[in-house]
Amino acid sequence: MKLTRRKLAASLISAGALAAQQTPTAAPAPAPADSDLKTARDRLAANAAALSATAIPLATEPAFQFKA
Amino acid sequence: MAAIGIDTFFAPLAELNARLKEREFSAEDLARAVSERLQQLGPRYNALALGLHQEAVRQAKDVDKELKRQRYRGLLQGIPYGVKDLLAYAGQPTTWGAKPYAAQVFDYNAAVIEKLSGAGAVLAGKLSMVELAGGGGYRLPSASLTGPGLNPWDRTRWSGGSSSGSAAAVAAGLVPFAIGSETSGSIVTPASYCGVTALRPTYGLVSRYGAMALSWTLDKLGPFARSAEDCGVILQAIAGKDGRDPGSAGKSFYYTPQYARPLKELRVGYAPADFAEWAEPATRPAFEAAMGVLKASGVQMMETKLPDFPYGAALSTILAGEMGSIFEPLISSGKVDELADRPQIAGLKASLELPAKEYLKAMRIRRLIQEAVARMFGTVDVLVAPGRAGIASKIDQPLDRGASGPQPKDAGFRPIIQMGNLAGLPALVLPCGFVEGMPVALQVVGAPYSENTLLALGRDFQAKTDWHKKRPPM
């Protein structure tokens, strides 16, 4: 098959474009929301750890309905 | 009619009311002047959520008819005011400071607005706030539909949150008084940063009907005003039983500081570490001078320690549990992502993962806290601490930054805001000086329903100082 320079260029461009499409892109950096969510979860866990350090008598009922 | 000059915008309630009764100016004149000032200058501080000029003029005309017939309702009659934009006002947007609720309109009025209307006060506008009153935990002052609250003393600094607009509007003389709310620090912080007097009432004393719920067991509504005296007058008007609020204590409040215990009998607890170690170095002389004024009033100053509890963890856990339930539809629908502050969005999302046992554990510890605090108030009558340890931060400064440098070993009263809110205690914020041109304040905290004691102490303090009368540069 005889290739003209025009056909050769066109095939190279389309091949390049296809290759570019197929090249796996780097995974996106974690969105800020992900790290924020981890921070929020860590905060809940830290609170739970802090609460665990307090001894609660068995008879202590929760403060609801809350009244000052 | 006399012209309404700048002094009028900073006048106390009794003076304004007397001038109205003497027909120095009409309620309509005052409402027009205040609402125009609020419309004009409110945006300068990002303090205005919604101007209500026409409604204010209409209400004021009704007040004038009453005054003409000498039908007097008390010191609030004809006085314009503003409310934090978490209170429902029929037919007008109530945004809760948050984009997902920007078009929200209720068909009824909040109980506090009903009561103030009954006292003849004139609603001039709704004031800006941190979105959802800060629920979820926000990183930046910009966490608001109206942008960061700018401090009238220095617009590069924050006005505090979450009642940002209420504090800024009173400080700048845009309204004679305002209503704000506190779940954990949302009255104390902005009042301290803006240099205005404010009162966080005992839990249940003021109805929250028509107010956005962030935490059923922590939320409270209270006044920002020119003085302790004015706070007492306003609290008397807004307190009282309300069957529509399940948290209502069923109690009224009568402002009678003259019947409070003599100051020389008052035992005032304080922690030296708060003033000598935790307070930022530049603020210490101001706090020291303020404590000197308190001592000079004859009170008995006593070094005191707070009962040892994980206050911050208990409060955060209870708040997470309740706000998660309240805002579950917002969070589950994904509309939470429309909020302005990413950490706040994350905090709200994470709240749905809180185990029930953690919430209940925190509520059981809260019971222990209430009992321990009650015992403490057997040995002291009032606690005093800095409102905040320093001046207002810059508006671009993250609020969740960790402390730098070594921390004092003695915790002092550092968790007093969390403790006070967990136990439902009242607190009065008293401006007590300036540092680098910015206000600092004391907070005095008492046992439940001790508002008259706090107000009597505040009134005496303000009779000897003029920090609460200072005006920011305009």
Side-chain angles (χ1 to χ4, degrees), chain B residues 73-94:
Chain B
R73 297 189 191 212
L75 290 179
L76 295 177
Q77 191 174 22
I79 308 294
Y81 71 102
V83 296
K84 186 174 182 177
D85 195 25
L86 52 54
L87 291 177
Y89 184 56
Q92 299 287 347
T94 298

Side-chain angles (χ1 to χ4, degrees), chain A residues 6-22:
Chain A
R6 189 181 297 258
K7 283 180 180 172
L8 179 62
S11 66
L12 285 175
I13 289 169
S14 60
L18 186 64
Q21 280 177 8
Q22 291 174 339

Side-chain angles (χ1 to χ4, degrees), chain B residues 397-414:
Chain B
Q397 206 169 0
L399 303 167
D400 57 356
R401 66 195 185 283
S404 59
Q407 300 296 296
K409 286 181 183 167
D410 184 347
F413 289 0
R414 285 289 283 175

Side-chain angles (χ1 to χ4, degrees), chain B residues 85-139:
Chain B
D85 195 25
L86 52 54
L87 291 177
Y89 184 56
Q92 299 287 347
T94 298
T95 71
W96 298 347
K99 191 178 174 191
Y101 300 99
Q104 177 174 247
V105 178
F106 295 99
D107 61 359
Y108 59 91
N109 290 339
V112 163
I113 294 177
E114 284 176 357
K115 281 179 170 284
L116 287 169
S117 178
V122 173
L123 182 57
K126 302 186 83 178
L127 304 169
S128 63
M129 58 183 282
V130 174
E131 53 189 2
L132 305 184
Y138 50 106
R139 178 170 295 154

